[in-house]
Amino acid sequence: MKKIALFVPLCLCALLGAKAQDSLQVAPDDDSFKARGGRLATELNVNPFQGSLSLNNAVNQIKVRYFLSDGVALRLAFTASTLKNDVSRSVPYSQNPIRQDQSRRTTTAGVNLGLERHFRGTRRLSPYVGAEVTFTSKSSSEEIKTDFSTTKIKGAWQTSLGTSGFEYVERGFTRYGLNVISGFDFYMARHFYLGYEFAFGLASTQYKDVDVNTLYTSNPPPINPSPGMSLKTDEKSFTAGPALLNGIRIGYVF
């Protein structure tokens, strides 16, 4: 609540300051607050209800807009992230502990490309509609080394369920989508704006196969060794519906 209480007065102060600047320096028919053709814009997100500041959409992408003209903007968003997790532990095995080294990796890359049509609105308000196509790819892998074996997993991370076997999480996938967008920019000062955006989106996700291969290094090998396996599920999912793409967008124009 404290963060919300601080955020609201700051917005009011910025609005009053922008209003004063408008009345002193800008003629009534001057739209120079807004981005013009040939300008580049980018933004961050703030969510006062969660007290968080982030990049500008749900998958933590960096977004830029290039204004082809005063009313048309090309939008490009992209992300590339890697998560690494290395753990070493001693695992009870019979009456003798063994060492286990676990190395996990996942990489996600994505791009959104689209077009916006901005309407006249007011001197400060720039409403727009648009559309974008999306592509995201995620890969996952894991390597587990013990005193007598090395297990390599491609396509997911392996999690033990005790006597029930294993579960595979952080599945790799390929996703294609389409978003129809509506939003607005409200310019608090020249080339500085707050905004909001929502969309109706379609997305199709194809999950990658999970391959598990174990190489036994002990001599002699253990009795009844576990063979390698490939989990070919041909698993797909399709989603459709409205979504808020961002929190409150804070942007600026170059």
Side-chain angles (χ1 to χ4, degrees):
M1 291 301 295
K2 289 182 179 179
K3 292 176 180 178
I4 298 174
L6 289 173
F7 181 77
V8 173
L10 286 174
C11 287
L12 291 175
C13 289
L15 180 59
L16 291 174
K19 184 67 175 177
Q21 183 187 33
D22 185 13
S23 61
L24 290 175
Q25 300 182 14
V26 182
D29 58 349
D30 190 353
D31 284 340
S32 61
F33 288 100
K34 301 178 183 179
R36 298 286 194 177
R39 306 304 289 265
L40 191 70
T42 189
E43 58 199 46
L44 291 173
N45 272 15
V46 62
N47 191 331
F49 300 103
Q50 296 180 355
S52 63
L53 180 70
S54 65
L55 298 178
N56 49 36
N57 62 29
V59 292
N60 210 31
Q61 291 179 320
I62 296 174
K63 187 179 82 175
V64 294
R65 297 191 292 183
Y66 178 74
F67 285 81
L68 302 173
S69 66
D70 293 355
V72 178
L74 181 69
R75 54 189 282 151
L76 172 67
F78 57 92
T79 184
S81 61
T82 299
L83 173 63
K84 298 181 180 181
N85 181 252
D86 297 320
V87 179
S88 296
R89 61 172 68 91
S90 293
V91 180
Y93 185 77
S94 298
Q95 295 181 350
N96 299 314
I98 63 170
R99 182 179 177 84
Q100 182 185 82
D101 296 320
Q102 186 179 53
S103 179
R104 291 174 161 180
R105 302 287 185 272
T106 181
T107 300
T108 303
V111 62
N112 296 15
L113 180 64
L115 203 66
E116 298 174 358
R117 173 66 173 94
H118 287 248
F119 300 95
R120 183 171 179 82
T122 67
R123 283 194 301 166
R124 294 183 181 274
L125 181 65
S126 180
Y128 61 87
V129 295
E132 66 178 3
V133 292
T134 70
F135 171 78
T136 307
S137 179
K138 178 178 179 179
S139 62
S140 296
S141 64
E142 181 176 9
E143 185 176 82
I144 304 171
K145 291 184 177 180
T146 68
D147 294 341
F148 58 86
S149 68
T150 298
T151 299
K152 294 184 178 182
I153 303 167
K154 183 179 179 181
W157 293 356
Q158 180 177 271
T159 300
S160 175
L161 298 176
T163 56
S164 301
F166 298 99
E167 179 183 17
Y168 293 93
V169 298
E170 291 290 339
R171 290 283 302 274
F173 63 81
T174 301
R175 177 178 297 143
Y176 299 91
L178 172 67
N179 293 324
V180 179
I181 301 160
S182 180
F184 67 88
D185 302 328
F186 186 80
Y187 286 80
M188 313 294 289
R190 282 184 178 83
H191 302 161
F192 175 77
Y193 61 87
L194 299 181
Y196 215 74
E197 186 173 270
F198 68 94
F200 187 91
L202 309 173
S204 177
T205 303
Q206 172 71 61
Y207 291 92
K208 297 179 180 179
D209 296 336
V210 178
D211 294 313
V212 181
N213 292 290
T214 301
L215 174 65
Y216 291 94
T217 56
S218 61
N219 191 16
I223 300 174
N224 299 323
S226 298
M229 65 162 237
S230 180
L231 181 63
K232 297 184 180 295
T233 60
D234 193 27
E235 184 178 350
K236 299 179 181 179
S237 68
F238 178 81
T239 59
L244 294 174
L245 298 182
N246 306 302
I248 297 174
R249 299 160 38 243
I250 301 177
Y252 52 94
V253 181
F254 294 95

